[in-house]
Amino acid sequence: MAIPTTPTDQQLVAQLREGNAAAYTQLFDRFQPTLYVYARKITKDKDEAADIVQEVFLYLWDKRDSIEFDHNILAYLYSAVRYKFFNLLDKKKVRLDYADSLKKYMQEGSPETDNLLREREMLRLIEEQISLLPPKLKLIYELSRKANMSTAHIAELLDVSEKTVQNQVSLAVKQLKMKLGALQLTGLFLSAEALAELMKKL
């Protein structure tokens, strides 16, 4: 039986696991343009998009002998791009939170209040609850709230209706608010004002 002149994705992945650099190059050439377009859509920044895609392929090579593909290679790479994107958002948020805290300290000349520390702990716990949302619900919520994407943009990106996006975001917010109320009962008591502000952030 003649060997196909163009190897399939599965054949390239098998060769990649064996450390075949040529297979890795072919995978890069095959999928990099598509992943870059996708990364540009979600980051809206060409440099960040290029960095994310590069990191994904570097990781693919570094972990080539241990990565397990539950789906096809392209689906895996799409997920990896999303993961890197949300990591980037989290890092930006940390930098902004640190800058805000430093500014507050410089203006007031005093350490953060106990209530602010409790609010930060509550936010940390909320992030944990976000991570426990069903995958698609979590993705839509994070694209809406963390990436600040419009309903239309998310619908186009995920190939669903805008109504579906709206319903999913509403469902996620409802679930998180219920969790927030439950967390408040664990001993992380905030003022009514602080609790109201947290609700606005969902």
Side-chain angles (χ1 to χ4, degrees):
M1 182 176 178
I3 299 175
T5 55
T6 302
T8 65
D9 296 346
Q10 291 77 12
Q11 289 172 328
L12 289 177
V13 168
Q15 293 170 21
L16 172 68
R17 287 195 174 116
E18 296 172 356
N20 188 316
Y24 171 76
T25 300
Q26 288 186 64
L27 285 170
F28 180 89
D29 292 341
R30 186 172 295 184
F31 296 119
Q32 188 274 343
T34 301
L35 293 176
Y36 175 71
V37 170
Y38 177 63
R40 276 293 300 271
K41 279 187 176 181
I42 60 178
T43 63
K44 299 181 181 179
D45 183 288
K46 63 180 182 179
D47 293 329
E48 288 183 351
D51 288 343
I52 285 175
V53 173
Q54 182 178 18
E55 287 179 18
V56 165
F57 276 103
L58 287 174
Y59 180 84
L60 183 66
W61 176 254
D62 288 341
K63 303 295 182 181
R64 61 190 179 278
D65 57 351
S66 60
I67 290 178
E68 294 294 334
F69 299 101
D70 295 330
H71 307 289
N72 61 55
I73 178 65
L74 184 57
Y76 173 86
L77 292 173
Y78 270 126
S79 296
V81 168
R82 287 197 297 271
Y83 177 81
K84 291 289 185 183
F85 171 60
F86 288 128
N87 267 357
L88 177 64
L89 289 179
D90 288 340
K91 288 177 182 177
K92 286 182 177 181
K93 185 176 184 302
V94 169
R95 287 197 294 267
L96 287 173
D97 286 348
Y98 176 78
D100 288 343
S101 297
L102 181 60
K103 182 179 179 181
K104 182 179 178 67
Y105 179 82
M106 294 296 288
Q107 289 175 339
E108 299 181 0
S110 61
E112 296 172 74
T113 64
D114 180 62
N115 197 63
L116 181 56
L117 291 174
R118 291 188 182 191
E119 181 182 342
R120 285 191 170 183
E121 175 64 8
M122 185 73 86
L123 285 172
R124 184 188 69 77
L125 292 172
I126 289 173
E127 285 298 319
E128 287 184 2
Q129 296 304 319
I130 291 173
S131 70
L132 297 176
L133 290 171
K136 188 169 184 179
L137 190 64
K138 175 176 177 287
L139 174 60
I140 291 177
Y141 176 82
E142 290 188 320
L143 289 175
S144 173
R145 294 300 192 262
K146 289 187 176 182
N148 295 317
M149 285 189 185
S150 67
T151 298
H153 192 177
I154 297 171
E156 178 187 2
L157 189 64
L158 301 182
D159 194 24
V160 296
S161 70
E162 292 187 34
K163 185 65 175 177
T164 296
V165 174
Q166 292 170 352
N167 290 340
Q168 291 285 287
V169 171
S170 295
L171 178 60
V173 170
K174 181 179 180 180
Q175 290 187 17
L176 292 172
K177 283 186 175 181
M178 290 175 61
K179 294 292 185 180
L180 182 59
L183 290 172
Q184 180 76 337
L185 298 177
T186 65
L188 290 171
F189 299 107
L190 302 174
S191 67
E193 293 80 8
L195 185 59
E197 284 301 313
L198 278 180
M199 290 289 191
K200 292 178 182 178
K201 294 177 182 179
L202 294 178

